[in-house]
Amino acid sequence: MAAKPTIGSQSVASPTLGGELPDAKARAGRRGLPRRRRLALSRMRAVLRAFVRVASSLGVCALATELAAQDPTPPPPLPTPTTAVPVAAADFLFRWPLPCTVVVEKAGDKRGKKATLRYRLEVAADGAEAVRVRHRDFTFLTVNGVDATTPAMQRQLATAQVLAHAVPDLLVSPQGDYLRIDGIDGVLENVATLAGESRGASRAQIEQTIAAMRTPPAQEMMQQAGSGDWLTWVGAWLEFAVPAGEQRESEEELDVFGEPVVAKVTRRHHGPDPAHPGHVRLSITSTFRGEAGTAALAAIMARMASAAGGKPMPPDELVGVEMTTAVEVVTDPRTLQPRAAKRRKDFAITTKSAGRVPQRETAEFTFTFAPPPAGK
């Protein structure tokens, strides 16, 4: 099992750390700052936006939001399951039939921007030490309630489609633990170029983004960011130790991109799911806030600014950070083959210049496993 839970798992998904500040209040706040400080904040936000655009493009869950500006939030914290007692552990093991094909439909809502898409997973053993998860055939179905399959919408979504097809493979262990993204370097430059050009970035700005993405801190963050969907589907439920009808609460240390933060974690086994015989519903909610979370985020932002050759945000600008992430799955306890999963993240950041800025993001997934080939 993975040694320590990480917050770098989601892709996934992000609050306004480096995005646009709220309209009038934000503009007034910026006008009240010294020019040098305003420039430093602007550079910091540019670095954060560039990072998340590329990092999000490497993960499945944020692809639909290529339609609009993305905000760089660390992905949701999904704690590693606690050590299970032997009887409970036997029921929650990764036993997908390999090879297998899974059709995934996702509905996402990010700051009121909604999109649904469909793609296919091809899952197969990769030698004796890994299982490879390939993402194929991305199709946007709706965007903000509009049919995305029409020729006109397909033209508007051309860049997002290209970015979707550039998603690298995931590698997980034969036991179902996330290992890494495979082949980041192979798609990094193309994704950064497409994402930059779609927003009118200069070649110099694109090169700066690529250089920042190739630094060890950024590579580590992208590897963590790639795990979000897999943890929601499988990784968070391995050896799930809570008996049916009960819940467990604990305080656990999360690794927020290398910075330790203590979070309150609640695990609940809801019991059998009436709509899916043979399946159970499980959930995990984690919350962190306070000085430790704020210090961790400040350290992350400082490392990112340093890696990109920029100046850090003024030390007194970031006032507070709070995040609650809830994940839920309907899964087969014998194999951890999910039928449905969902994730909700409530994030708020408080800065000296803009005050408290809350956000909510949601994602819902459904899964259809193709029947095994005849004779298997």
Side-chain angles (χ1 to χ4, degrees):
M1 300 297 295
K4 184 183 288 188
T6 66
I7 191 175
S9 60
Q10 212 349 196
S11 76
V12 107
S14 305
T16 58
L17 304 184
E20 300 303 324
L21 294 173
D23 303 330
K25 185 176 181 181
R27 289 193 294 270
R30 287 195 293 267
R31 284 196 297 269
L33 296 175
R35 182 174 182 274
R36 181 177 298 178
R37 187 168 176 180
R38 291 201 307 271
L39 291 174
L41 287 173
S42 178
R43 283 192 295 268
M44 187 68 225
R45 293 185 182 106
V47 169
L48 285 166
R49 282 196 298 268
F51 176 85
V52 172
R53 284 165 187 162
V54 176
S56 297
S57 299
L58 295 175
V60 176
C61 17
L63 288 170
T65 56
E66 289 297 328
L67 303 173
Q70 298 185 30
D71 297 319
T73 309
L78 294 182
T80 299
T82 55
T83 301
V85 295
V87 173
D91 284 339
F92 292 94
L93 299 178
F94 175 62
R95 296 193 185 100
W96 288 20
L98 300 179
C100 67
T101 299
V102 188
V103 176
V104 181
E105 288 197 11
K106 179 201 169 183
D109 185 338
K110 177 183 172 72
R111 292 189 302 159
K113 297 181 176 66
K114 301 179 180 181
T116 60
L117 62 156
R118 180 190 299 122
Y119 53 93
R120 179 167 50 89
L121 301 177
E122 294 178 354
V123 187
D126 191 318
E129 302 298 325
V131 174
R132 184 174 293 272
V133 182
R134 292 186 169 95
H135 303 80
R136 297 288 184 267
D137 300 336
F138 283 86
T139 302
F140 289 95
L141 303 176
T142 65
V143 175
N144 292 327
V146 177
D147 184 356
T149 64
T150 64
M153 284 297 291
Q154 287 293 299
R155 286 192 294 271
Q156 292 184 39
L157 294 170
T159 298
Q161 291 281 13
V162 172
L163 290 170
H165 287 286
V167 173
D169 299 345
L170 299 182
L171 290 178
V172 302
S173 75
Q175 294 74 39
D177 295 301
Y178 171 78
L179 297 177
R180 66 182 184 276
I181 298 173
D182 190 38
I184 285 181
D185 289 339
V187 299
L188 178 60
E189 184 165 354
N190 287 339
V191 169
T193 299
L194 280 169
E197 289 178 347
S198 70
R199 293 171 174 80
S202 68
R203 188 62 210 177
Q205 291 171 321
I206 293 172
E207 292 293 341
Q208 183 183 22
T209 299
I210 294 171
M213 295 304 97
R214 285 182 171 154
T215 61
Q219 291 283 311
E220 178 184 356
M221 292 171 78
M222 284 189 288
Q223 285 291 352
Q224 290 188 11
S227 67
D229 282 355
W230 184 258
L231 286 176
T232 301
W233 305 341
V234 174
W237 319 110
L238 291 166
E239 299 184 7
F240 197 77
V242 181
E246 297 186 19
Q247 72 177 37
R248 297 285 187 270
E249 295 184 355
S250 61
E251 289 191 350
E252 302 177 18
E253 184 178 280
L254 303 181
D255 183 351
V256 185
F257 292 128
E259 299 294 328
V261 173
V262 175
K264 179 180 178 181
V265 179
T266 300
R267 292 180 173 85
R268 184 175 179 185
H269 189 320
H270 300 262
D273 185 74
H276 302 95
H279 293 68
V280 297
R281 184 161 65 96
L282 312 172
S283 64
I284 298 176
T285 302
S286 59
T287 300
F288 77 87
R289 59 171 56 88
E291 294 181 1
T294 304
L297 182 56
I300 294 166
M301 296 170 72
R303 287 205 306 271
M304 290 175 61
S306 176
K311 294 183 179 180
M313 177 179 285
D316 60 343
E317 173 63 16
L318 186 61
V319 177
V321 176
E322 55 195 272
M323 179 187 287
T324 296
T325 302
V327 290
E328 184 176 303
V329 72
V330 174
T331 192
D332 185 334
R334 300 161 298 181
T335 63
L336 289 183
Q337 290 175 262
R339 292 293 298 269
K342 57 186 177 182
R343 180 174 59 237
R344 188 194 78 243
K345 183 180 66 176
D346 292 296
F347 187 95
I349 180 170
T350 304
T351 62
K352 191 173 182 179
S353 58
R356 186 177 185 273
V357 182
Q359 287 194 10
R360 169 172 286 190
E361 296 176 5
T362 63
E364 297 190 12
F365 306 88
T366 59
F367 307 85
T368 303
F369 283 74
K376 290 199 174 183

